[in-house]
Amino acid sequence: MSSTSPKILLRRLGLRPRKAWGQNFLLHPHQAQRIVAALDLSGTETVVEIGPGLGALTVFLARAAGKVVALERDPALAQFLKTELFPDNPQVQILEQDALAFDFQECSRHAEKPLAVAGNLPYQITSPLLFKLMEGKAALSRAVLMMQQEVGDRLLSPPGTKDYGVLSVLIQYHFALERLFSLGPGNFYPPPQVDSVVLRLRPRAPVPAARDEALLSRVVKAAFAHRRKTLNNTLVHQAPAFGLTPEDLRQIFLTLQIDPGRRGETLGVDQFVELTNAIGVSSKQ
Ligand code: SAM
């Protein structure tokens, strides 16, 4: 990597960091190395990088992977990466595009193994990107991602805590999560207003499995639609939306031994799955 600091490099390129695109560039190569090392790449794998920016992670990914596909939305940064940092390097493919529009399944068809994913994420797209990774998890082997500490806490939080929500349930269903390390704002230029955390995600085969994952999402979202309300006032109330009568749903709660006087936020991932499967079987839709 060029040892030039992001500030000086951006000035030379005539650019300013764009807040709207979450441009907080890593200052220290050893932090970038820690993120890349956490992927434990085999040397032949394909890794997809979200938001390469000035290439802080990309240079280390290029050394450790067989191929890097780097998705950068900012045309000026994509141009810099293509022409200055990785000219004529067939191993590093810089795509000027929105990561949220990237087709992971299609990309994995051209790779020998499922894809690894890396990124110091632009914070604005963290949640939609995580939903995208859940959808595309069959194409992935693992991901190491830096995100806002607050979002990391939400992903990791257990039932009954204030951070536990739709994203926690669904991500914990689809992936095994590990918290690796945190970084304060001083590690970036410009410094963000929040702390950051690096997580590793590995797709998992959940037991019990939801027979219909789209239905699982709907059930979880309905249960959390009003956090303070009980399951009686959220799911039972919305029974017709699931092709059931309120009585059907009360019977399901009885069979599963879940008290509908509880709030949705107290249900564990497995209970949401059991509930979804029972709703799926009874539904007249
Ligand atoms: N990887 C670099 C680093 O660690 O220094 C830059 C990280 S910076 C937090 C996020 C990068 O993602 C920026 O380069 C930004 O332009 C890019 N970006 C923002 N939104 C994006 C999107 N929707 N798709 C792809 N890249 C995006």
Side-chain angles (χ1 to χ4, degrees):
M1 181 167 102
S2 141
S3 56
T4 319
S5 77
K7 188 174 181 177
I8 292 171
L9 197 48
L10 287 170
R11 194 179 302 151
R12 176 168 76 66
L13 296 169
L15 303 173
R16 282 168 181 273
R18 297 176 81 146
K19 207 172 174 180
W21 285 347
Q23 292 184 348
N24 302 101
F25 300 96
L26 262 174
L27 283 173
H28 309 298
H30 71 274
Q31 303 293 13
Q33 265 172 313
R34 287 173 83 188
I35 294 175
V36 174
L39 274 173
D40 197 16
L41 289 158
S42 69
T44 56
E45 286 172 281
T46 298
V47 58
V48 177
E49 186 186 359
I50 316 294
L54 293 163
L57 295 175
T58 329
V59 286
F60 295 112
L61 291 171
R63 284 183 208 163
K67 184 174 178 190
V68 183
V69 179
L71 314 173
E72 175 53 61
R73 180 176 196 169
D74 185 328
L77 295 180
Q79 181 67 10
F80 161 75
L81 293 167
K82 276 185 213 173
T83 57
E84 290 201 39
L85 209 52
F86 300 105
D88 310 317
N89 186 339
Q91 187 215 351
V92 180
Q93 194 180 1
I94 310 290
L95 300 179
E96 183 196 319
Q97 83 155 82
D98 181 351
L100 296 178
F102 185 68
D103 189 339
F104 286 92
Q105 282 93 335
E106 175 58 23
C107 181
S108 78
R109 279 185 212 116
H110 305 284
E112 279 175 25
K113 292 185 189 163
L115 307 168
V117 179
N120 167 14
L121 297 181
Y123 292 158
Q124 291 81 347
I125 70 163
T126 307
S127 291
L129 185 83
L130 290 169
F131 279 104
K132 194 173 168 66
L133 295 181
M134 290 187 237
E135 263 170 45
K137 77 167 174 180
L140 311 178
S141 60
R142 59 217 184 276
V144 173
L145 304 172
M146 174 134 60
M147 61 190 74
Q148 309 93 299
Q149 180 89 49
E150 181 210 322
V151 177
D153 290 344
R154 260 163 57 202
L155 300 188
L156 294 163
S157 63
T161 56
K162 73 170 174 30
D163 289 333
Y164 187 65
V166 174
L167 196 54
S168 338
V169 178
L170 296 179
I171 205 93
Q172 289 173 24
Y173 173 78
H174 288 286
F175 293 97
L177 305 173
E178 291 163 84
R179 185 187 174 288
L180 300 182
F181 58 92
S182 295
L183 289 182
N187 289 281
F188 304 87
Y189 172 78
Q193 278 164 350
V194 293
D195 285 333
S196 304
V197 65
V198 178
L199 301 190
R200 182 164 46 212
L201 293 75
R202 294 182 198 275
R204 69 184 198 100
V207 178
R211 280 183 222 112
D212 178 345
E213 289 181 352
L215 183 59
L216 174 67
S217 296
R218 284 177 57 212
V219 169
V220 174
K221 283 177 188 162
F224 280 98
H226 306 281
R227 273 199 90 93
R228 312 296 302 167
K229 291 191 179 175
T230 64
L231 292 164
N232 257 324
N233 290 323
T234 54
L235 274 174
V236 175
H237 206 67
Q238 294 184 47
F242 294 99
L244 300 172
T245 64
E247 194 40 50
D248 293 333
L249 208 46
R250 276 191 209 99
Q251 190 55 48
I252 287 174
F253 281 124
L254 197 64
T255 310
L256 296 178
Q257 297 184 321
I258 297 172
D259 174 1
R262 287 166 62 178
R263 291 186 186 143
E265 67 192 23
T266 66
L267 262 54
V269 176
D270 292 356
Q271 285 176 307
F272 273 113
V273 173
E274 284 164 1
L275 189 55
T276 301
N277 288 342
I279 289 175
V281 167
S282 306
S283 174
K284 282 126 200 142
Q285 276 178 346

